[in-house]
Amino acid sequence: MAADKESARDRVGLGWRGELAAGILSNLAHIDVLEVIADDYYHAPRAGIAALCSLARQVPVSLHGVGMGLASSIPADPRRLHAMARLMQTVQAESWSEHLSFVRAGGVEIGHLAAPPRTPHSAAGAIANIALATRLVGSAPLMENIATLVRPPASTLDEAAWLTHILDGAQVPLLLDLHNLYANAVNFGEAPEQLLLRLPLDRVAAVHLSGGHWVDAPGGGQRLLDDHLHDVPPAVFDLLTLLARHAPQPLTVIVERDGNYPSFEHVLDQLELAHAALRAGRRA
């Protein structure tokens, strides 16, 4: 009974995409929460903002940032933070999140969520930027781990130690992308389950699920690329079950899809697989 009550507080939702809008609006009863890319609305016309506000009145909405680059020794851009603050206030979103990545340096936009060197110095920069973001936006962000096809050069900390250092120092929750974790583990010869269990699972507030495909690696072999264009693989659902077994707090799970869209019935099947994985972990 206790496990059933705990599981009942978990939520499963979907990333809002225009291509999925018709299916989402027709199936809101099956979607607990929606995650919206905030950067798409920083300079949106009034009609777009009004539509987002209408959506937020029908289903809980979380805002997800992609362009702040908070994991950097470069101070975060206050203009982006103020834009997030305005959008949070206008939409009355329940939370907001960003990535532990850098996206620009020396005035150059990389166009990619890049992993910085995992060092105490980069962790200190992230902690300072998260503190600034919390102050300007008015609430703390959920911070997401990212995928990388190469080990960040000059790193002195492994991924789990670096993430824990930042989360403890900034005192913020973790948005745990399980496919990113899985890809990093298999790409660099680690056991995904062991990497997961080394993280501060009591800080996980939300979870991302997505898919990817294998690409050729320099020097031979293959590496798993996180692309959001494929179904969530069974191994990632297994990681969600393991997480639910070890993290007693409620979890908000978001299934991400950015292209190669299947039928919406198939999307709903992915949400149900997430529910099933959560239930299995809670029962255990």
Side-chain angles (χ1 to χ4, degrees):
M1 180 65 71
D4 290 342
K5 290 181 178 179
E6 189 66 55
S7 179
R9 298 204 299 270
D10 294 326
R11 301 184 300 174
V12 175
L14 189 61
W16 171 267
R17 303 293 184 269
E19 295 84 349
L20 298 175
I24 290 172
L25 294 174
S26 300
N27 291 276
L28 287 179
H30 303 288
I31 300 170
D32 299 326
V33 58
L34 288 171
E35 183 184 80
V36 175
I37 302 299
D39 303 56
D40 293 342
Y41 290 89
Y42 288 160
H43 305 291
R46 289 184 180 179
I49 298 296
L52 181 56
C53 290
S54 175
L55 183 67
R57 288 192 291 269
Q58 300 174 70
V59 62
V61 164
S62 176
L63 298 178
H64 189 49
V66 297
M68 291 182 182
L70 296 183
S72 174
S73 58
I74 300 171
D77 183 354
R79 294 172 298 178
R80 294 175 184 269
L81 295 171
H82 285 303
M84 178 67 82
R86 290 192 297 271
L87 194 60
M88 282 285 291
Q89 183 176 19
T90 301
V91 177
Q92 293 294 293
E94 65 173 29
S95 63
W96 71 284
S97 57
E98 250 292 353
H99 300 83
L100 283 168
S101 67
F102 75 93
V103 297
R104 66 186 60 84
V108 176
E109 294 286 334
I110 300 172
H112 176 69
L113 299 174
R118 296 177 183 138
T119 65
H121 180 69
S122 68
I127 292 168
N129 277 331
I130 293 168
L132 175 63
T134 300
R135 179 169 61 84
L136 294 186
V137 177
S139 59
L142 285 71
M143 295 305 304
E144 180 182 356
N145 59 304
I146 68 165
T148 178
L149 290 173
V150 298
R151 290 186 184 275
S155 295
T156 59
L157 300 171
D158 65 19
E159 182 174 15
W162 186 74
L163 288 172
T164 300
H165 190 109
I166 293 171
L167 297 171
D168 286 347
Q171 289 294 295
V172 290
L174 174 61
L175 167 50
L176 179 56
D177 190 308
L178 286 176
H179 191 265
N180 287 352
L181 179 146
Y182 178 72
N184 288 352
V186 299
N187 285 341
F188 304 115
E190 300 180 61
E193 298 81 6
Q194 293 180 12
L195 178 56
L196 174 68
L197 294 176
R198 289 185 57 220
L199 296 177
L201 300 184
D202 60 319
R203 290 196 179 276
V204 178
V207 177
H208 276 177
L209 303 178
S210 62
H213 73 283
W214 293 94
V215 297
D216 293 334
Q222 290 192 312
R223 290 183 180 168
L224 182 58
L225 173 67
D226 176 68
D227 64 10
H228 297 189
L229 302 178
H230 297 81
D231 287 349
V232 181
V236 172
F237 283 122
D238 290 342
L239 288 176
L240 179 57
T241 294
L242 182 62
L243 173 63
R245 185 178 305 153
H246 289 274
Q249 69 273 17
L251 299 171
T252 295
V253 177
I254 299 294
V255 175
E256 296 181 294
R257 190 83 177 214
D258 290 339
N260 191 25
Y261 296 105
S263 69
F264 202 79
E265 289 75 14
H266 188 82
V267 173
L268 293 176
D269 288 342
Q270 292 275 285
L271 300 188
E272 181 49 41
L273 287 172
H275 278 294
L278 286 166
R279 288 193 297 267
R282 297 311 189 188
R283 285 195 298 268

